[in-house]
Coordinates of all heavy atoms in Angstrom, one line a residue:
M1481 N 163.1 192.4 66.7 CA 162.8 192.3 65.2 C 162.8 190.8 64.7 O 162.0 190.5 63.9 CB 164.0 193.1 64.5 CG 163.8 193.1 63.0 SD 162.4 194.1 62.6 CE 162.4 194.0 60.9
I1482 N 163.7 190.0 65.3 CA 163.8 188.6 64.9 C 162.5 187.9 65.3 O 162.1 186.9 64.7 CB 165.1 187.9 65.4 CG1 165.3 186.5 64.8 CG2 165.0 187.8 66.9 CD1 165.7 186.6 63.4
Y1483 N 161.9 188.3 66.5 CA 160.7 187.7 66.9 C 159.6 187.9 65.9 O 158.8 187.0 65.6 CB 160.2 188.4 68.3 CG 161.1 188.1 69.4 CD1 161.9 189.1 69.9 CD2 161.2 186.8 70.0 CE1 162.8 188.9 71.0 CE2 162.0 186.6 71.1 CZ 162.8 187.6 71.6 OH 163.6 187.4 72.6
L1484 N 159.5 189.1 65.4 CA 158.4 189.4 64.4 C 158.6 188.6 63.1 O 157.6 188.1 62.6 CB 158.4 190.9 64.1 CG 157.3 191.4 63.2 CD1 156.0 191.2 63.9 CD2 157.5 192.9 62.9
I1485 N 159.9 188.5 62.7 CA 160.1 187.7 61.5 C 159.7 186.2 61.7 O 159.1 185.6 60.8 CB 161.6 187.8 61.1 CG1 161.9 189.3 60.6 CG2 162.0 186.9 60.0 CD1 163.4 189.6 60.4
L1486 N 160.1 185.7 62.8 CA 159.8 184.3 63.1 C 158.2 184.1 63.2 O 157.7 183.0 62.8 CB 160.5 183.8 64.4 CG 161.9 183.4 64.2 CD1 162.6 183.1 65.5 CD2 162.1 182.3 63.2
I1487 N 157.6 185.0 63.8 CA 156.1 184.9 63.9 C 155.4 185.0 62.6 O 154.5 184.2 62.3 CB 155.6 186.0 64.9 CG1 156.0 185.8 66.3 CG2 154.0 186.2 64.8 CD1 155.7 186.9 67.2
I1488 N 155.9 185.9 61.7 CA 155.4 186.0 60.4 C 155.6 184.7 59.6 O 154.8 184.1 58.9 CB 155.9 187.2 59.6 CG1 155.3 188.5 60.3 CG2 155.6 187.2 58.2 CD1 156.0 189.7 59.8
I1489 N 156.8 184.1 59.7 CA 157.2 182.9 59.0 C 156.3 181.7 59.5 O 155.8 180.9 58.7 CB 158.7 182.6 59.2 CG1 159.5 183.5 58.4 CG2 159.0 181.1 58.8 CD1 161.0 183.4 58.7
A1490 N 156.1 181.7 60.8 CA 155.2 180.6 61.4 C 153.8 180.7 60.9 O 153.2 179.7 60.6 CB 155.3 180.6 62.9
I1491 N 153.3 181.9 60.8 CA 151.9 182.1 60.4 C 151.8 181.8 58.9 O 150.8 181.1 58.5 CB 151.4 183.6 60.7 CG1 151.3 183.8 62.2 CG2 150.1 183.9 59.9 CD1 151.0 185.2 62.6
V1492 N 152.7 182.2 58.1 CA 152.7 181.9 56.7 C 152.8 180.4 56.4 O 152.0 179.9 55.6 CB 153.8 182.7 55.9 CG1 153.9 182.2 54.5 CG2 153.5 184.2 55.9
L1493 N 153.7 179.7 57.1 CA 153.8 178.3 56.9 C 152.6 177.6 57.4 O 152.2 176.5 56.9 CB 155.1 177.8 57.6 CG 156.4 178.2 56.9 CD1 157.6 177.8 57.8 CD2 156.5 177.6 55.6
A1494 N 151.9 178.0 58.5 CA 150.7 177.4 59.0 C 149.6 177.5 58.0 O 148.9 176.6 57.7 CB 150.3 178.0 60.3
V1495 N 149.4 178.7 57.4 CA 148.4 178.9 56.3 C 148.7 178.1 55.1 O 147.8 177.4 54.5 CB 148.3 180.4 56.0 CG1 147.4 180.6 54.8 CG2 147.7 181.2 57.2
L1496 N 150.0 178.0 54.7 CA 150.4 177.2 53.6 C 150.1 175.7 53.8 O 149.7 175.0 52.9 CB 151.8 177.4 53.2 CG 152.1 178.6 52.4 CD1 153.6 178.8 52.2 CD2 151.4 178.6 51.1
S1497 N 150.4 175.2 55.0 CA 150.1 173.8 55.3 C 148.7 173.4 55.3 O 148.3 172.3 55.0 CB 150.7 173.4 56.7 OG 150.0 174.1 57.7
V1498 N 147.8 174.4 55.5 CA 146.4 174.1 55.4 C 145.9 174.3 53.9 O 145.0 173.5 53.5 CB 145.6 175.1 56.3 CG1 144.1 174.9 56.1 CG2 145.9 174.8 57.8
E1499 N 146.4 175.2 53.2 CA 145.9 175.5 51.9 C 146.5 174.7 50.7 O 145.9 174.7 49.7 CB 146.1 177.0 51.6 CG 145.3 177.9 52.5 CD 143.8 177.8 52.3 OE1 143.4 177.6 51.1 OE2 143.0 177.9 53.2
L1500 N 147.7 174.2 50.9 CA 148.3 173.5 49.8 C 147.6 172.2 49.5 O 147.1 171.5 50.4 CB 149.8 173.2 50.1 CG 150.7 174.3 50.1 CD1 152.1 173.9 50.6 CD2 150.8 174.9 48.7
K1501 N 147.5 171.8 48.2 CA 146.8 170.6 47.8 C 147.7 169.4 47.8 O 147.3 168.3 48.1 CB 146.3 170.8 46.3 CG 145.4 171.9 46.2 CD 144.1 171.7 46.9 CE 143.1 172.8 46.6 NZ 142.1 172.9 47.6
D1502 N 149.0 169.6 47.6 CA 150.0 168.5 47.7 C 150.3 168.2 49.1 O 150.7 169.0 49.9 CB 151.3 168.8 46.9 CG 152.2 167.7 46.8 OD1 151.7 166.5 46.9 OD2 153.4 167.9 46.5
L1503 N 150.1 166.9 49.5 CA 150.3 166.5 50.9 C 151.7 166.6 51.4 O 152.0 166.9 52.6 CB 149.7 165.1 51.2 CG 148.2 165.0 51.1 CD1 147.8 163.6 51.2 CD2 147.5 165.9 52.1
I1504 N 152.6 166.3 50.5 CA 154.1 166.3 50.9 C 154.5 167.8 51.2 O 155.2 168.0 52.2 CB 154.9 165.7 49.8 CG1 154.6 164.2 49.7 CG2 156.4 165.8 50.1 CD1 155.2 163.4 48.6
Q1505 N 154.1 168.7 50.3 CA 154.4 170.1 50.5 C 153.8 170.6 51.8 O 154.4 171.4 52.5 CB 154.0 170.9 49.3 CG 154.8 170.7 48.1 CD 154.3 171.5 46.9 OE1 153.3 172.1 46.9 NE2 155.1 171.4 45.8
A1506 N 152.6 170.2 52.0 CA 151.9 170.6 53.3 C 152.6 170.1 54.5 O 152.7 170.8 55.5 CB 150.4 170.2 53.2
S1507 N 153.1 168.9 54.5 CA 153.8 168.3 55.6 C 155.1 169.0 55.8 O 155.5 169.3 57.0 CB 154.1 166.8 55.4 OG 152.8 166.1 55.3
V1508 N 155.8 169.4 54.7 CA 157.1 170.1 54.9 C 156.8 171.5 55.5 O 157.6 172.0 56.3 CB 157.8 170.2 53.5 CG1 158.9 171.2 53.5 CG2 158.2 168.8 53.1
C1509 N 155.7 172.2 55.0 CA 155.4 173.5 55.6 C 155.0 173.3 57.1 O 155.4 174.2 57.9 CB 154.2 174.1 54.9 SG 154.7 174.7 53.3
L1510 N 154.3 172.3 57.5 CA 154.0 172.1 58.9 C 155.3 171.8 59.7 O 155.4 172.3 60.8 CB 153.1 170.9 59.0 CG 152.5 170.6 60.4 CD1 151.6 171.8 60.9 CD2 151.7 169.3 60.4
C1511 N 156.2 171.1 59.1 CA 157.5 170.9 59.8 C 158.3 172.2 60.0 O 158.8 172.5 61.0 CB 158.3 169.9 59.0 SG 159.9 169.5 59.8
G1512 N 158.2 173.1 58.9 CA 158.9 174.4 59.0 C 158.2 175.3 60.0 O 158.9 176.0 60.8
M1513 N 156.9 175.2 60.2 CA 156.2 175.9 61.2 C 156.6 175.5 62.6 O 156.9 176.3 63.5 CB 154.7 175.8 61.0 CG 153.9 176.6 62.0 SD 152.3 176.0 62.3 CE 152.6 174.4 63.0
C1514 N 156.8 174.2 62.8 CA 157.2 173.6 64.1 C 158.6 174.1 64.4 O 158.9 174.4 65.6 CB 157.1 172.1 64.1 SG 155.4 171.5 64.1
I1515 N 159.5 174.2 63.4 CA 160.8 174.6 63.6 C 160.8 176.1 64.0 O 161.6 176.6 64.9 CB 161.7 174.3 62.4 CG1 161.9 172.8 62.3 CG2 163.0 175.1 62.5 CD1 162.6 172.4 61.0
A1516 N 160.0 176.9 63.3 CA 159.9 178.3 63.6 C 159.4 178.6 65.0 O 159.9 179.5 65.7 CB 159.1 179.1 62.6
I1517 N 158.5 177.8 65.4 CA 157.9 178.0 66.8 C 159.0 177.5 67.8 O 159.2 178.1 68.9 CB 156.6 177.2 67.0 CG1 155.5 177.8 66.2 CG2 156.2 177.1 68.4 CD1 154.3 177.1 66.1
G1518 N 159.7 176.5 67.5 CA 160.8 176.0 68.4 C 161.9 177.1 68.5 O 162.4 177.3 69.6
L1519 N 162.2 177.8 67.4 CA 163.2 178.9 67.5 C 162.7 180.0 68.3 O 163.4 180.7 69.0 CB 163.5 179.4 66.1 CG 164.3 178.4 65.2 CD1 164.5 178.9 63.8 CD2 165.7 178.2 65.8
L1520 N 161.4 180.3 68.2 CA 160.8 181.3 69.1 C 160.9 181.0 70.6 O 161.2 181.8 71.4 CB 159.3 181.5 68.8 CG 159.0 182.4 67.6 CD1 157.5 182.3 67.2 CD2 159.4 183.9 67.9
F1521 N 160.7 179.7 70.9 CA 160.9 179.3 72.3 C 162.3 179.4 72.7 O 162.6 179.7 73.9 CB 160.4 177.8 72.5 CG 158.9 177.7 72.6 CD1 158.3 176.7 71.8 CD2 158.2 178.4 73.5 CE1 156.9 176.6 71.9 CE2 156.8 178.3 73.6 CZ 156.2 177.3 72.8
G1522 N 163.2 179.1 71.8 CA 164.7 179.3 72.1 C 165.0 180.7 72.4 O 165.8 181.0 73.2
L1523 N 164.4 181.7 71.6 CA 164.7 183.1 71.8 C 164.1 183.6 73.1 O 164.6 184.6 73.7 CB 164.2 183.9 70.7 CG 164.9 183.8 69.4 CD1 164.2 184.6 68.3 CD2 166.3 184.3 69.5
L1524 N 163.1 182.9 73.6 CA 162.5 183.2 74.9 C 163.1 182.5 76.1 O 162.6 182.6 77.2 CB 161.0 182.9 74.9 CG 160.1 183.7 73.9 CD1 158.7 183.1 73.8 CD2 160.1 185.2 74.4
D1525 N 164.3 181.9 75.9 CA 165.0 181.1 76.9 C 164.2 180.0 77.5 O 164.4 179.7 78.7 CB 165.6 182.1 77.9 CG 166.7 182.9 77.4 OD1 167.4 182.5 76.5 OD2 166.9 184.1 77.9
A1526 N 163.3 179.4 76.7 CA 162.6 178.2 77.2 C 163.2 177.0 76.5 O 162.6 176.4 75.6 CB 161.1 178.4 76.9
T1527 N 164.4 176.7 76.9 CA 165.1 175.6 76.2 C 164.5 174.2 76.3 O 164.5 173.4 75.4 CB 166.6 175.5 76.7 OG1 166.6 175.4 78.1 CG2 167.3 176.8 76.3
Y1528 N 163.9 174.0 77.5 CA 163.2 172.7 77.7 C 162.1 172.5 76.7 O 161.9 171.5 76.1 CB 162.7 172.6 79.1 CG 162.1 171.3 79.5 CD1 163.0 170.2 79.7 CD2 160.8 171.1 79.7 CE1 162.5 168.9 80.1 CE2 160.3 169.8 80.0 CZ 161.1 168.8 80.2 OH 160.6 167.6 80.6
V1529 N 161.3 173.6 76.5 CA 160.1 173.5 75.6 C 160.7 173.5 74.2 O 160.1 172.8 73.3 CB 159.2 174.7 75.8 CG1 158.0 174.7 74.8 CG2 158.7 174.7 77.2
M1530 N 161.8 174.2 73.9 CA 162.3 174.2 72.6 C 162.8 172.8 72.1 O 162.6 172.4 71.0 CB 163.5 175.2 72.5 CG 164.2 175.2 71.2 SD 165.7 176.2 71.1 CE 166.8 175.2 72.1
V1531 N 163.5 172.1 73.0 CA 164.0 170.8 72.7 C 162.8 169.8 72.5 O 162.9 169.1 71.5 CB 164.9 170.3 73.9 CG1 165.1 168.8 73.8 CG2 166.2 171.0 74.0
F1532 N 161.8 169.9 73.3 CA 160.6 169.0 73.0 C 159.9 169.4 71.7 O 159.4 168.6 71.0 CB 159.7 169.0 74.2 CG 160.1 168.1 75.2 CD1 160.7 168.5 76.4 CD2 159.8 166.7 75.1 CE1 161.1 167.6 77.3 CE2 160.2 165.8 76.0 CZ 160.9 166.2 77.2
Q1533 N 159.9 170.7 71.4 CA 159.3 171.1 70.1 C 160.0 170.5 69.0 O 159.4 170.1 68.0 CB 159.3 172.7 70.1 CG 158.7 173.2 68.8 CD 157.2 173.2 68.8 OE1 156.5 173.2 69.9 NE2 156.6 173.2 67.6
F1534 N 161.3 170.6 69.0 CA 162.1 170.0 67.9 C 162.0 168.5 67.9 O 161.8 167.9 66.8 CB 163.6 170.4 68.0 CG 163.8 171.9 67.7 CD1 164.8 172.6 68.3 CD2 163.1 172.5 66.7 CE1 165.1 173.9 68.0 CE2 163.3 173.8 66.4 CZ 164.3 174.5 67.1
L1535 N 162.1 167.8 69.0 CA 162.2 166.4 69.0 C 160.8 165.7 68.8 O 160.7 164.8 67.9 CB 162.7 165.9 70.4 CG 164.2 166.1 70.7 CD1 164.5 165.6 72.0 CD2 165.0 165.4 69.6
I1536 N 159.8 166.2 69.4 CA 158.5 165.6 69.3 C 157.7 166.1 68.1 O 157.3 165.3 67.2 CB 157.6 165.8 70.6 CG1 158.3 165.4 71.8 CG2 156.2 165.2 70.4 CD1 158.6 163.9 71.8
Y1537 N 157.6 167.4 67.9 CA 156.7 167.9 66.8 C 157.5 167.9 65.5 O 157.0 167.4 64.5 CB 156.2 169.3 67.2 CG 155.2 169.2 68.3 CD1 155.5 169.8 69.5 CD2 154.0 168.6 68.1 CE1 154.6 169.7 70.6 CE2 153.1 168.6 69.2 CZ 153.4 169.1 70.4 OH 152.5 169.1 71.4
A1538 N 158.6 168.6 65.5 CA 159.3 168.7 64.2 C 160.0 167.4 63.8 O 160.3 167.1 62.6 CB 160.4 169.8 64.3
G1539 N 160.3 166.5 64.8 CA 160.9 165.2 64.5 C 160.0 164.1 64.3 O 159.7 163.6 63.2
A1540 N 159.4 163.6 65.4 CA 158.6 162.4 65.4 C 157.3 162.5 64.7 O 156.9 161.7 63.9 CB 158.4 161.9 66.9
T1541 N 156.6 163.6 64.9 CA 155.3 163.8 64.3 C 155.5 163.9 62.8 O 154.7 163.4 62.0 CB 154.6 165.0 64.9 OG1 154.5 164.9 66.3 CG2 153.2 165.1 64.3
M1542 N 156.5 164.6 62.3 CA 156.7 164.8 60.9 C 157.1 163.5 60.2 O 156.7 163.2 59.1 CB 157.8 165.9 60.6 CG 157.3 167.3 60.8 SD 155.8 167.6 59.8 CE 154.6 167.8 61.1
V1543 N 157.9 162.6 60.9 CA 158.2 161.3 60.4 C 156.9 160.5 60.2 O 156.7 159.8 59.2 CB 159.2 160.6 61.3 CG1 159.4 159.1 60.9 CG2 160.6 161.3 61.2
L1544 N 156.0 160.6 61.2 CA 154.8 159.9 61.1 C 153.9 160.4 60.0 O 153.4 159.6 59.2 CB 154.0 160.0 62.5 CG 152.6 159.4 62.5 CD1 152.8 157.8 62.4 CD2 151.9 159.8 63.8
F1545 N 153.8 161.7 59.8 CA 153.0 162.3 58.8 C 153.6 161.9 57.4 O 152.8 161.5 56.5 CB 153.0 163.8 58.9 CG 152.0 164.4 59.9 CD1 151.9 165.7 60.1 CD2 151.2 163.5 60.6 CE1 151.0 166.2 61.0 CE2 150.3 164.0 61.5 CZ 150.2 165.4 61.7
M1546 N 154.9 162.0 57.2 CA 155.5 161.7 55.9 C 155.3 160.2 55.6 O 155.1 159.8 54.5 CB 157.0 162.1 55.9 CG 157.2 163.6 56.0 SD 156.4 164.4 54.6 CE 157.8 164.7 53.6
T1547 N 155.4 159.3 56.6 CA 155.2 157.9 56.4 C 153.8 157.6 55.9 O 153.6 156.8 55.0 CB 155.5 157.1 57.7 OG1 156.9 157.4 58.1 CG2 155.4 155.6 57.5
V1548 N 152.8 158.2 56.6 CA 151.4 158.0 56.2 C 151.2 158.6 54.8 O 150.5 157.9 54.0 CB 150.5 158.7 57.3 CG1 149.1 158.7 56.8 CG2 150.6 158.0 58.6
V1549 N 151.7 159.7 54.5 CA 151.5 160.3 53.2 C 152.2 159.4 52.1 O 151.6 159.2 51.0 CB 152.1 161.7 53.1 CG1 152.2 162.2 51.7 CG2 151.2 162.7 53.9
M1550 N 153.3 158.9 52.4 CA 154.0 158.1 51.4 C 153.3 156.7 51.2 O 153.3 156.1 50.1 CB 155.5 157.8 51.8 CG 156.3 159.1 51.7 SD 156.3 159.7 50.0 CE 157.6 160.8 50.1
L1551 N 152.7 156.2 52.2 CA 152.1 154.9 52.1 C 150.6 154.9 51.7 O 150.0 153.9 51.3 CB 152.1 154.2 53.5 CG 153.5 153.7 54.0 CD1 153.4 153.1 55.3 CD2 154.1 152.8 53.0
T1552 N 150.0 156.1 51.6 CA 148.7 156.3 51.2 C 148.6 156.3 49.6 O 149.4 157.0 49.0 CB 148.1 157.6 51.7 OG1 148.2 157.6 53.1 CG2 146.6 157.7 51.3
K1553 N 147.7 155.5 49.1 CA 147.6 155.4 47.6 C 146.8 156.7 47.2 O 145.8 157.0 47.7 CB 146.9 154.2 47.2 CG 147.7 152.9 47.4 CD 147.0 151.8 46.7 CE 147.9 150.6 46.9 NZ 147.5 149.5 46.0
R1554 N 147.4 157.3 46.1 CA 146.8 158.5 45.6 C 146.4 158.2 44.1 O 147.1 157.5 43.5 CB 147.7 159.7 45.7 CG 148.0 160.1 47.1 CD 149.0 161.2 47.1 NE 150.3 160.7 46.6 CZ 151.5 161.1 46.9 NH1 151.6 162.1 47.7 NH2 152.6 160.6 46.4
E1555 N 145.3 158.8 43.7 CA 145.0 158.6 42.3 C 145.8 159.5 41.4 O 146.1 160.7 41.8 CB 143.5 159.0 42.1 CG 143.1 160.4 42.5 CD 141.6 160.6 42.3 OE1 140.8 159.7 42.8 OE2 141.3 161.6 41.7
R1556 N 146.2 159.0 40.3 CA 147.1 159.8 39.4 C 146.2 160.5 38.4 O 145.2 160.0 37.9 CB 148.0 158.8 38.6 CG 148.9 158.1 39.5 CD 150.0 158.9 40.0 NE 150.9 158.2 40.9 CZ 151.8 158.7 41.6 NH1 152.0 160.0 41.6 NH2 152.5 158.0 42.4
K1557 N 146.6 161.7 38.0 CA 145.8 162.5 37.0 C 146.4 162.4 35.7 O 147.5 162.2 35.4 CB 145.7 163.9 37.5 CG 144.8 164.0 38.7 CD 144.6 165.5 39.0 CE 143.8 165.6 40.2 NZ 143.5 167.0 40.6

């Protein structure tokens, strides 16, 4: 049952990260999706993959995305 809930959460967050107009919210949704996928790997007893999912994707890549979003000039409405 928990597998199904995590899969649904990952799919919803992936769709939101593509569809949202605000880049910061899209980056947070992408980070949440990476965490949900890491939790799925943890439930499958793939701890090595889970650790790399958290460290590389949910950690380093999200820091890079947020830095780029914060340093990019946006037009104000």
Side-chain angles (χ1 to χ4, degrees):
M1481 184 68 184
I1482 190 76
Y1483 295 108
L1484 187 62
I1485 293 171
L1486 283 174
I1487 290 170
I1488 291 171
I1489 288 172
I1491 290 171
V1492 168
L1493 288 173
V1495 169
L1496 281 176
S1497 68
V1498 173
E1499 293 294 324
L1500 286 175
K1501 300 293 183 203
D1502 189 18
L1503 292 177
I1504 295 175
Q1505 291 177 353
S1507 296
V1508 169
C1509 286
L1510 187 64
C1511 183
M1513 183 203 63
C1514 291
I1515 290 171
I1517 291 174
L1519 290 173
L1520 278 170
F1521 283 130
L1523 289 175
L1524 293 172
D1525 288 331
T1527 55
Y1528 187 74
V1529 180
M1530 178 187 71
V1531 168
F1532 276 102
Q1533 180 76 24
F1534 287 147
L1535 290 178
I1536 303 300
Y1537 292 111
T1541 307
M1542 285 304 115
V1543 168
L1544 177 67
F1545 280 179
M1546 293 301 257
T1547 303
V1548 169
V1549 166
M1550 292 298 193
L1551 291 177
T1552 304
K1553 289 191 178 191
R1554 294 177 294 210
E1555 59 183 47
R1556 302 286 179 188
K1557 291 186 178 182

